[in-house]
């Protein structure tokens, strides 16, 4: 025969308001010794709300807290008793112990997490209790919407540490619902510490959910927040909102006024996407002082380069830049403009103007390397000749000369001045080539004749003098005696050149001084090989 159940006795004594404390403690000891009896654990839980003796209540709760929940047939009733005891308990240490026991069952009863979160909203929790609550809720394998909302609402006025915990808890949800996103947006206010605002912004951006209430907050962050990272996240979030003129205006304001160059560049790159006015974006190039912003803007304009107005604005910016473009920026300018250089004279002129203004040889060389393959050299001979005449760098000059050398000076008169200037410059490495190029036009050009005469008068380079003499002796050249006499007199020159000069000079109408000079030359020791006709 089984022993009689002690459950009714335990229930009656613990619930009796007149039972002596000693009797309750004795019954509690008896209950502890007979926990194996069916219904004993449930009886202890049911007795908790009626216990008035704090010592006995603590003993009962302590006993329950140590129990293995697999012994209970009514888990909701068990946790209801624990939650009620927690709500009525005023002693901090005991509340912390109850919280710890509830934490063990947080995955077994959906009421535990919201109840613990609600504790955070109450003032007066000490560090131990707060840590116990945070630790308990942190054990949740998944955070449902109700718990996330309760946590966020509970910490709105609490310190940064608790707010950070709640934001992290809500952010653990794999999919951010609209109500949770709305609650998170409430932490974007200025009083929230910057790192927390940044975390909220990133979570909203990740979820691509922007609550309606967040828009004015994002605008304020973008305009006023001192943290550039927060401003950057706000900018990225604004792009997710429906496009309207106000958004475009705010992005344009950021592109033009933000203190951070990288953020201005990012805003500039987005501007053409939201504003729909690529021409306006292109016009901003000329007034934008930061190269990073200009680079970003140029990259965004690639999609609109077929618009002639965009190209014209880009070309203007290329020539109007206070500091000539370099690096990636220069590459983007050239990528946009050079494909049209052969067809649009305005663009060509802008490119050559930019080349003249570039202070460093590598910049000028880069522009030429991009432009020259895109154009017919004959069409831009005058511009290249001007660049050649003003260029000081040897390598750049060599590049220009190589392009211009095959051209005819008869068809391109501008080359005459360039080659003549180069011919009479003693330090030029292109003198002989220039002399050869000028030969074809010497009979029609007094300027070439003067340059050849200068060489005959002063130079001793045999090949150069020979070439210039060839030109100077052409039939329709107006010759003077002085250059020819100088060649005859120069004993370092080859005999053939001196003889040709002598043959030509004797056919000229020489004045008395020229005749005397010629006679003196021929009487000298260096004239023995010369033959006078």
């Amino acid at each position: 025969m089984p022993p009689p159940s002690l459950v009714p006795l335990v229930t009656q004594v613990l619930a009796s308001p007149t039972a002596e404390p000693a009797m309750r403690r004795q019954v509690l000891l008896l209950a502890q010794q007979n926990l194996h009896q069916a219904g004993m654990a449930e009886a202890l839980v049911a007795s908790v709300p009626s216990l008035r003796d704090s010592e006995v209540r603590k003993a009962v709760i302590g006993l329950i807290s140590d129990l293995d929940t697999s012994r209970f047939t009514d888990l909701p009733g068990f946790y209801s008793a624990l939650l009620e005891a927690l709500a009525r308990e005023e002693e901090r240490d005991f509340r912390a112990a109850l919280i710890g026991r509830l934490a063990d069952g947080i995955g077994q009863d959906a009421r535990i997490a919201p109840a613990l979160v609600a504790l955070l909203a109450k003032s007066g929790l000490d560090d131990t209790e707060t840590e116990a609550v945070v630790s308990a809720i942190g054990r949740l394998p998944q955070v449902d919407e109700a718990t996330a909302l309760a946590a966020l609402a509970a910490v709105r006025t609490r310190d940064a540490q608790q707010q950070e915990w709640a934001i992290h808890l809500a952010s653990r949800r794999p999919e951010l619902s609209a109500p949770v996103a709305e609650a998170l947006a409430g932490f974007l206010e200025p009083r929230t510490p910057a790192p927390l605002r940044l975390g909220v912004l990133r979570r909203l951006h990740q979820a691509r959910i922007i609550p309606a209430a967040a828009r004015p907050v994002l605008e304020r962050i973008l305009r006023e927040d001192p943290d550039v990272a927060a401003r950057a996240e706000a900018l990225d979030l604004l792009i997710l909102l429906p496009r309207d003129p106000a958004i475009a205006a705010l992005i344009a304001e950021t592109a033009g006024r933000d203190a951070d160059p990288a953020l201005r560049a990012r805003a500039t790159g987005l501007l053409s996407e939201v504003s729909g006015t690529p021409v306006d974006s292109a016009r901003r190039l000329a007034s934008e002082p930061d190269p990073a912003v200009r680079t970003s803007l140029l990259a965004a304009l690639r999609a609109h380069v077929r618009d002639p107005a965009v190209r014209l604005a880009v070309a203007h910016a290329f020539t109007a830049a206070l500091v000539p473009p370099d690096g990636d920026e220069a590459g983007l300018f050239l990528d946009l403009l050079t494909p049209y250089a052969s067809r649009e004279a305005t663009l060509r002129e802008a490119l050559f103007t930019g080349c003249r203004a570039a202070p460093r040889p590598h910049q000028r060389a880069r522009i030429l390397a991009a432009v020259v393959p895109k154009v017919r050299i004959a069409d831009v001979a005058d511009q290249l000749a001007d660049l050649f005449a003003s260029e000081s760098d040897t390598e750049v000059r060599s590049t220009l000369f190589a392009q211009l050398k095959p051209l005819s000076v008869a068809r391109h008169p501008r080359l005459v001045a360039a080659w003549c200037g180069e011919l009479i410059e003693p330090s030029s490495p292109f003198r002989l080539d220039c002399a050869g190029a000028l030969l074809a036009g010497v009979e029609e050009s007094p300027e070439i004749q003067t340059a050849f005469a200068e060489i005959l008068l002063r130079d001793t380079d045999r090949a150069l003098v020979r070439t210039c003499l060839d030109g100077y002796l052409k039939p329709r050249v107006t010759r003077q005696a002085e250059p020819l006499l100088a060649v005859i007199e120069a004993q370092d020159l080859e005999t053939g050149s001196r003889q040709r000069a002598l043959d030509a000079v004797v056919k000229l109408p020489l004045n008395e001084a020229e005749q005397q000079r010629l006679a003196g030359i021929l009487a000298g020791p260096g004239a023995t090989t010369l033959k006078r006709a």
Side-chain angles (χ1 to χ4, degrees), residues 255-256 264 268 283-291 293-294 297:
R264 288 205 309 276
T268 300
R283 288 171 180 160
R284 286 194 59 245
L285 280 169
S287 59
E288 173 54 53
D290 191 279
V293 177
R294 295 196 300 268
L297 185 53

Side-chain angles (χ1 to χ4, degrees), residues 386-409:
D386 289 339
L387 290 173
F388 179 81
S390 62
E391 182 57 56
S392 59
D393 182 76
T394 302
E395 292 186 9
V396 178
R397 298 185 92 242
S398 297
T399 299
L400 289 165
F401 187 78
Q403 298 298 326
L404 292 170
K405 179 182 174 182
L407 299 181
S408 167
V409 294

Side-chain angles (χ1 to χ4, degrees), residues 417-462:
W419 291 169
C420 286
E422 203 66 20
L423 177 61
I424 63 175
E425 170 54 52
S427 65
S428 172
F430 311 117
R431 301 177 77 199
L432 185 58
D433 288 328
C434 287
L438 291 168
L439 279 175
V442 65
E443 292 180 292
E444 288 77 28
S445 173
E447 186 176 4
I448 299 176
Q449 295 172 20
T450 300
F452 279 6
E454 178 71 15
I455 298 301
L456 300 180
L457 280 168
R458 309 190 185 283
D459 273 86
T460 58
D461 182 281
R462 292 186 174 189

Side-chain angles (χ1 to χ4, degrees), residues 98-279:
L98 281 175
I99 291 170
R101 182 60 187 87
L102 287 168
D104 293 336
I106 198 166
Q108 297 176 324
D109 193 308
R111 296 171 299 166
I112 296 177
L116 294 180
V117 170
L119 285 178
L120 293 177
K122 297 179 179 179
S123 60
L125 287 186
D126 63 12
D127 293 342
T128 302
E129 294 171 302
T130 301
E131 183 177 354
V133 171
V134 170
S135 175
I137 299 178
R139 298 183 188 183
L140 286 172
Q142 293 183 343
V143 180
D144 60 23
E145 181 179 280
T147 300
L149 291 173
L152 293 172
V155 300
R156 282 297 299 272
T157 59
R158 305 301 293 269
D159 61 34
Q161 185 176 4
Q162 294 184 30
Q163 289 182 346
E164 180 179 11
W165 162 80
I167 291 170
H168 174 72
L169 182 73
S171 298
R172 284 174 51 194
R173 288 183 52 75
E175 294 184 3
L176 207 62
S177 64
V180 174
E182 192 84 33
L184 282 172
F187 291 87
L188 297 177
E189 298 176 353
R191 67 171 180 263
T192 304
L196 296 187
R197 289 202 309 275
L198 185 57
V200 170
L201 286 169
R202 286 173 176 165
R203 185 64 183 94
L204 292 174
H205 190 199
Q206 182 184 19
R208 303 182 71 82
I209 297 178
I210 313 299
R215 174 167 173 168
V217 178
L218 294 174
E219 293 175 355
R220 185 173 62 248
I221 290 173
L222 197 55
R223 286 192 172 102
E224 303 173 5
D225 202 294
D227 186 353
V228 65
R231 298 199 305 275
E233 290 289 348
L235 176 64
D236 288 341
L237 283 170
L238 281 171
I239 292 299
L240 303 179
L241 293 171
R243 307 293 170 79
D244 61 36
I247 293 292
L250 181 58
I251 294 174
E253 178 183 332
T254 302
R257 299 182 182 179
D258 196 274
D260 183 72
L263 187 56
R264 288 205 309 276
R266 170 71 175 140
T268 300
L270 294 171
L271 188 57
S272 61
E273 298 180 19
V274 299
S275 65
T277 55
V279 174

